[in-house]
Amino acid sequence: MLKGTKLYSIFYNKCPKCHEGDFFVNKNPYKAGFIKMHDSCPHCGESFNKEVGFYYGAMYVSYGVNIALGIALFVLSVLLLKVDLLLYLFLFTCLVAILFPWTMRISRLIYINLFVKFDSSKK
């Protein structure tokens, strides 16, 4: 993945402006305090707290990510592997519970990348 793309920032936990500083304090989404973010980028100083309630919009992104996961799991398990629908629902519930920290983080990164553009001069 190339620096300067939105996907680089999202998948590598980087600042959407400079792609150098980390967005979250912990790199591991399964450690305590997994949602703790830096107030601003340690490298370029870009503020990650745009306004009060800014990240409420990330809930809608999280919903979309979970729906995409559910559809992918449905196609794989029910349509391709012919798994019972009740087992699919159990698997989906377990998948959502296990991936919750990752989904929260990726949703915030996707959401802020919708509003902040990469600036190559910030390097």
Side-chain angles (χ1 to χ4, degrees), residues 62-78 85 88-89 91-93 95-96 99:
S62 177
Y63 177 75
V65 168
N66 281 316
I67 292 299
L69 286 171
I71 290 172
L73 183 64
F74 180 82
V75 168
L76 177 70
S77 62
V78 176
L85 193 57
Y88 157 74
L89 290 173
L91 290 173
F92 178 64
T93 303
L95 182 71
V96 168
L99 293 180

Side-chain angles (χ1 to χ4, degrees), residues 9-61:
S9 171
I10 292 167
F11 288 119
Y12 289 102
N13 180 30
K14 297 297 180 185
C15 168
K17 185 69 125 185
C18 69
H19 289 190
E20 294 292 329
D22 287 334
F23 190 76
F24 291 101
V25 174
N26 293 324
K27 289 189 183 279
N28 186 349
Y30 293 99
K31 279 191 159 186
F34 67 92
I35 202 68
K36 178 77 173 124
M37 302 180 335
H38 293 286
D39 290 329
S40 61
C41 176
H43 186 261
C44 71
E46 174 73 19
S47 174
F48 295 148
N49 297 319
K50 299 297 181 193
E51 61 187 38
V52 176
F54 176 75
Y55 290 103
Y56 283 129
M59 290 187 304
Y60 297 104
V61 175

